């Protein structure tokens, strides 16, 4: 029952060995809340929900931290765009033009709620901790001060930059040489010694709102993006933790920079790095310039949320999903085969929880242990559905009941159990039939017990 995972830093599948026996500390880069979530955000959150569920099934106590980046250049730019005065003047008692804008922190919170809603609708469990970056600014400043003292960062013109040339290991995560890296574009280069140096503290600019500024030893300003995750992971999981996760697009520069600044500051940081694949639309990468982004709210209206969860979770987490017309229809058909079998078994066997096997098939467990190979696990699940139907056809009630229990157990782990309360409210015919059969059997059992005075 050794869990194996693909470590992006080692570029190999390796045995998972926790820092502390029986426990897993997992940090996942959450959203930067400047605009509404799209299906790629849903897919990423679902991947780590599946990892969490599997570690939990294997007996680990999982601490999952998924941050919210609620202060960032993009958030300030988005709020500024919302707050621009309207071209149409509105009347006031003074006759002057007025306009109502949105504060950056209000926009961030509004968008954060959209992410939370999307996660909830997909049955993604809330993280153990979900810190906002603005609540850990003092921890960020402490790391920056340690780096300056150690000669790995420098202050210039109100900003503070990480000195990439001072850290020979820079580039180890993505196996790049500094001379081959692109220049960091995350801050004004006014005080940089090297184009690749990245900002950890950004001095306040006159055009920025005063509320987006904190006092610091280097002058008023705000944190850079990369330092936020280094500080929050350390605050909630410690200087060393097991797994750092996030989307494949975050490997460089974000995760590379996190690793460099944290280790240069003396923290062991993450033992393993796990990255999930992205989502393409009809063979093309999602992007604003192509206008092909599908936002979570509209995507969740295209099918039942449980079917969307099944679809987004059905590919290997490291692969790219290519969404196309008909993809959700295929997922719906596959999921309905599971629902139909459970409904049929419940109806024909009167199956109740006492008939359920509390274990999952070995082949399913082996697939999940092997770098969370959900496609192979789903193949085991559907094989069990076919075997269960065949057993019902031949009247092998014990084998059919066993298959029923296995299917329920496997779908429960994957978060797509049609009989669970969160999905049963969807009101599908198969679920309704299964629940009705279960209730009728329980009533019959109770009546039999009453007559025989078996209390």
């Amino acid at each position: 029952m050794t869990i194996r995972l693909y470590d992006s830093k080692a570029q190999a599948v390796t045995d998972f060995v926790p820092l502390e026996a029986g426990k897993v500390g997992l940090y996942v880069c959450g959203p930067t809340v400047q605009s509404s979530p799209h299906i790629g955000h849903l897919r990423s959150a679902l991947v780590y929900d599946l990892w969490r569920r599997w570690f939990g099934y294997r007996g680990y106590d999982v601490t999952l931290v998924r941050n919210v980046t609620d202060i960032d250049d993009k958030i300030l730019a988005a709020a500024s765009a919302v707050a621009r005065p309207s071209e149409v003047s509105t009347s006031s008692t003074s006759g002057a033009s007025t306009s109502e804008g949105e504060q950056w922190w209000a926009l961030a919170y509004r968008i954060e709620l959209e992410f939370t809603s999307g996660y909830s609708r997909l049955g993604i469990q809330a993280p153990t901790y979900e810190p906002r970056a603005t609540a850990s600014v003092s921890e960020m400043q402490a790391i920056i001060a340690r780096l300056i003292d150690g000669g790995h960062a420098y202050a210039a013109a109100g900003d503070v930059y990480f000195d990439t040339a001072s850290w020979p290991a820079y580039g180890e995560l993505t196996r790049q040489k500094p001379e081959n890296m692109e220049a960091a574009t995350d801050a004004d280069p006014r005080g940089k010694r090297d184009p690749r140096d990245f900002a950890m503290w950004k001095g306040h600019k006159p055009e920025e709102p005063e509320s987006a500024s904190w006092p610091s030893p280097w002058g008023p300003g705000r944190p850079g993006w990369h330092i936020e995750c280094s500080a929050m992971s350390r605050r909630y999981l410690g200087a060393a933790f097991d797994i750092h996760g996030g989307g494949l697009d975050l490997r460089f520069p974000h995760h590379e920079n996190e690793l460099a600044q944290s280790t240069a500051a003396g923290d062991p940081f993450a033992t393993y790095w796990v990255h999930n694949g992205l989502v393409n639309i009809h063979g093309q990468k999602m992007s604003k310039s192509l206008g092909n982004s599908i936002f979570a709210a509209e995507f969740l209206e295209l099918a039942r949320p449980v079917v969307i969860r099944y679809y987004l979770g059905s590919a290997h987490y490291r692969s790219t999903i290519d969404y196309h017309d008909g993809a959700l229809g295929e997922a719906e058909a596959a999921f309905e085969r599971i629902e139909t079998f459970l409904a049929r078994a419940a109806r024909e066997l009167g199956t109740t929880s006492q008939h359920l096997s509390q274990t999952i098939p070995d082949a399913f467990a082996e697939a999940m242990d092997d770098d969370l190979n959900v496609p192979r696990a789903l193949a085991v699940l559907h094989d069990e559905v076919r075997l269960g139907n065949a057993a019902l056809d031949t009247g092998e009630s014990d084998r059919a009941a066993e298959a029923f229990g296995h299917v329920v157990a496997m779908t429960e782990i994957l978060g797509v159990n049609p009989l669970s309360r969160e999905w049963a409210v969807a009101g599908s015919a198969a679920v309704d039939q299964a629940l009705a059969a279960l209730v009728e059997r329980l009533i019959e059992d109770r009546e039999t017990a009453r007559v025989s005075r078996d209390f």
Side-chain angles (χ1 to χ4, degrees), residues 342-411:
L342 293 178
R344 181 188 177 193
R347 183 177 61 251
E348 295 185 19
L349 301 174
T351 306
T352 62
S353 58
Q354 65 186 3
H355 294 91
L356 298 183
S357 167
Q358 299 300 311
T359 60
I360 59 174
D362 289 343
F364 180 92
E366 290 168 3
M368 296 292 281
D369 281 339
D370 183 18
D371 194 31
L372 205 72
N373 195 326
V374 174
R376 209 168 85 210
L378 284 175
V380 176
L381 170 60
H382 283 284
D383 280 345
E384 198 70 13
V385 167
R386 285 188 288 271
L387 291 171
N389 277 318
L392 289 173
D393 291 340
T394 57
E396 299 175 74
S397 58
D398 288 345
R399 179 64 184 93
E402 181 184 46
F404 182 98
H406 285 165
V407 170
V408 169
M410 289 185 282
T411 54

Side-chain angles (χ1 to χ4, degrees), residues 65-82:
V65 180
R66 186 183 65 218
N67 78 294
V68 175
T69 295
D70 62 341
I71 180 66
D72 179 82
D73 289 349
K74 295 177 181 178
I75 294 171
L76 296 183
S80 175
V82 172

Side-chain angles (χ1 to χ4, degrees), residues 21-102:
K23 294 185 177 181
V24 177
L26 170 58
Y27 183 87
V28 178
C29 284
T32 299
V33 286
Q34 88 273 8
S35 60
S36 297
H38 54 64
I39 60 177
H41 294 120
L42 296 180
R43 196 266 174 111
S44 182
L46 175 56
V47 163
Y48 298 102
D49 183 65
L50 289 169
W51 269 115
R52 179 194 200 175
R53 288 170 183 258
W54 186 245
F55 276 119
Y57 176 81
R58 280 307 198 192
Y60 288 96
D61 179 10
V62 183
T63 299
L64 171 62
V65 180
R66 186 183 65 218
N67 78 294
V68 175
T69 295
D70 62 341
I71 180 66
D72 179 82
D73 289 349
K74 295 177 181 178
I75 294 171
L76 296 183
S80 175
V82 172
R84 289 191 186 108
S86 170
E87 295 180 1
V88 179
S89 298
T90 56
S91 299
S92 67
T93 54
S94 64
S97 296
T98 61
S99 65
E100 292 186 4
E102 187 172 21

